[in-house]
Amino acid sequence: MNIKDIARLSGVGVSTVSRVVNNHPDVKKETREHVLNIIKEYNYIPNSSARVLKQISTKNIGILIKGIFNPFLSEMVSIISKKIQFEGYTMLLQHTEVEEDDIESTLRFIKERKLQGVICLGGKFNDIQEDTFKHIDVPIILTSINLPVAMNNKQHVSIIDINNEEAAYKAVNYLIEKGHKDISIMICDEKEAASLERYKGYCRALEESDIPFDKENVLKGHYLMEKAYEETIKLLQNKKPTAIFAVSDSMAIGVAKAITDSGLQIGQDISIVGFDGMDIAQYYTPTITTVKQPREEMAKLSADLLFEQLNGNNQSISILLDADLIEGNSCIEI
């Protein structure tokens, strides 16, 4: 769809559609609403500027990062940006809010900015289908995104991630081997794919050790320190597990502060294991045991793979990297 198609379907002139798209005030309310309904019905995405519209192609590479404040993903950006600059391209960075549809945001980002490729760092792509990106002919790299379906080569979509379920399984087993049986888990929610896989690893570890599952031990922190803090405070008002496994280090910090503010000692009264391997976990007191994702390797692979595909290698691949457990002082044997 282009602006002429929208004008034809709306029964108005191209200039009227342009004024609606650019939110000019000199359009009747009824006409504006009618044009906007047509735009919505046909999923028309206008280019962000006339300059971009006139370009046949750009040298823009997009980085779509989930969350305005996401320190784990933000640390990857500097590595990727150096590769983009070295190759003579321009990096366009865009954040998406927690509630935004990441598939729709990716499609809009590519079309509006005429991207030559995009790297998505984090996000929810659970609803992705085999034909979601069939009309997109630029490489898309999904990094630190756990997908429920395999991508075919025609879609130019590659995946770089870790085995989230296995990494979480090892982390919970670490606690079990230290004698812990009452282990809570702080997840994002049931819909976020990486969090769901880590939850599966937690459940598998409990089941294989014949430890009963307790639904009261499942907390939702939505990857936010403050939410993790609030949920932990509520938990400790009713019960005191011997350990808490948080599926991100950001939430682990919220858990740690809640434990301290409740008059308890981290690693003595309640053990903590986080996930991501962020620097903050190592500089917290006490240092927090965490599953370290190889973020430097993930960032480098993302950039290298993107430019391999831009240079003619159209094969889409899926890479799963290993994650290591880094011991801190937040866990004790009981």
Side-chain angles (χ1 to χ4, degrees), residues 143-204:
T143 302
S144 192
I145 296 169
N146 192 284
L147 285 187
V149 298
M151 295 292 96
N152 60 49
N153 292 347
K154 295 180 181 179
Q155 292 203 62
H156 314 287
V157 178
S158 292
I159 303 160
I160 297 174
D161 201 4
I162 63 166
N163 189 327
N164 285 283
E165 180 181 346
E166 186 63 24
Y169 170 80
K170 290 179 180 179
V172 178
N173 260 343
Y174 170 82
L175 289 169
I176 293 172
E177 289 170 358
K178 286 185 172 292
H180 295 275
K181 293 184 178 180
D182 190 4
I183 304 170
S184 293
I185 181 171
M186 179 73 69
I187 63 173
C188 174
D189 58 45
E190 297 93 341
K191 297 180 180 179
E192 202 279 327
S195 176
L196 178 60
E197 290 301 306
R198 294 168 195 176
Y199 173 67
K200 289 178 181 177
Y202 162 83
C203 293
R204 179 158 65 93

